[in-house]
Every structure is written in C-alpha cells, then in structure tokens.
Amino acid sequence: MHILIKLDADPRFAVAAAGGARYLGEASGLSGHASSKFQAAILFACEEAFGQLDGLHSIVQVALNQYPDRIEVVIIHNADTPSVGLHTLLGAGANAMEGVDRVQYEQKSGSSVTRLTKFLGPHA
C-alpha cells in the first residue's frame, strides 16, 4: 500500500499523517503499544520538518508505504537538513524516535528526504 499526503505546516495535518502510520502498523500486526510509539515518532518527525519551513516552501510531503516486512514513512520538504537531526537521535532522556527501527536521510534536488522504517515480524 502507498499513500502520499501533502501537508501545510499545521499540526493537525501532522496528527492525520501519524494516524495513518498507526493504522498501517496495526493493520500489519504491530501491537497497540508498538503502533502508538510508531505514531508518536512520525508525529514528532513531521513537527520537526514543519519547524524548518519558510514562507517560500511551506509544504511537507509524507509517503506511507506498507511492505510485507516493514512500514516506511518518507518525509520530504525543501531544506538542507533532515527532518530529524542528530541532536534528537543522540539526545539524552526519552527518545521521541524510539518507535522506529531505522532513520535514513538524503538530499535530493534541494529537498530533504527522511525515511523512517518500522520492521515487522516477531521482533516488532
């Protein structure tokens, strides 16, 4: 399954994208607790991306992709930094990204592409 959402920088839209990720998690067999943590991580990443937008670039694209072995959420916005920076991944205390198993980042044609992956299976 592939769902593409284009969001204005409004926290209500981030909640909707995160809810879609939670739905995919539950539909893929994740526990309610794991799905909730996944949802929280996606919400946090979207909100981080919103914080990097300016007046000329105010849209964030979120792609929700469901595969047999994983769920990937790709966040794309015009910026030169990732949606979720190292300050978050390496920060002390509770990690807002603990609901995902892998975070990848790349630059493509002036856009920041952050891929958040949750693996499915016995360890999920």
Side-chain angles (χ1 to χ4, degrees), residues 77-99:
H77 66 290
N78 287 335
D80 58 1
T81 58
S83 297
V84 181
L86 285 176
H87 67 283
T88 300
L89 298 175
L90 300 176
N95 187 344
M97 298 307 294
E98 70 180 330

Side-chain angles (χ1 to χ4, degrees), residues 20-65:
R22 180 183 181 132
Y23 167 78
L24 290 181
E26 290 177 351
S28 297
L30 291 179
S31 70
H33 180 69
S35 293
S36 178
K37 289 169 75 173
F38 184 52
Q39 178 182 14
I42 302 310
L43 177 60
F44 180 81
C46 286
E47 290 173 342
E48 288 281 299
F50 288 169
Q52 298 175 15
L53 299 177
D54 58 31
L56 296 175
H57 305 99
S58 62
I59 301 292
V60 172
Q61 292 184 49
V62 179
L64 306 171
N65 300 297

Side-chain angles (χ1 to χ4, degrees), residues 71-111:
I71 301 168
E72 290 182 355
V73 177
V74 181
I75 301 171
I76 303 167
H77 66 290
N78 287 335
D80 58 1
T81 58
S83 297
V84 181
L86 285 176
H87 67 283
T88 300
L89 298 175
L90 300 176
N95 187 344
M97 298 307 294
E98 70 180 330
V100 298
D101 298 317
R102 180 171 62 192
V103 178
Q104 296 172 294
Y105 167 73
E106 63 183 308
Q107 280 290 125
K108 282 189 177 178
S109 304
S111 292

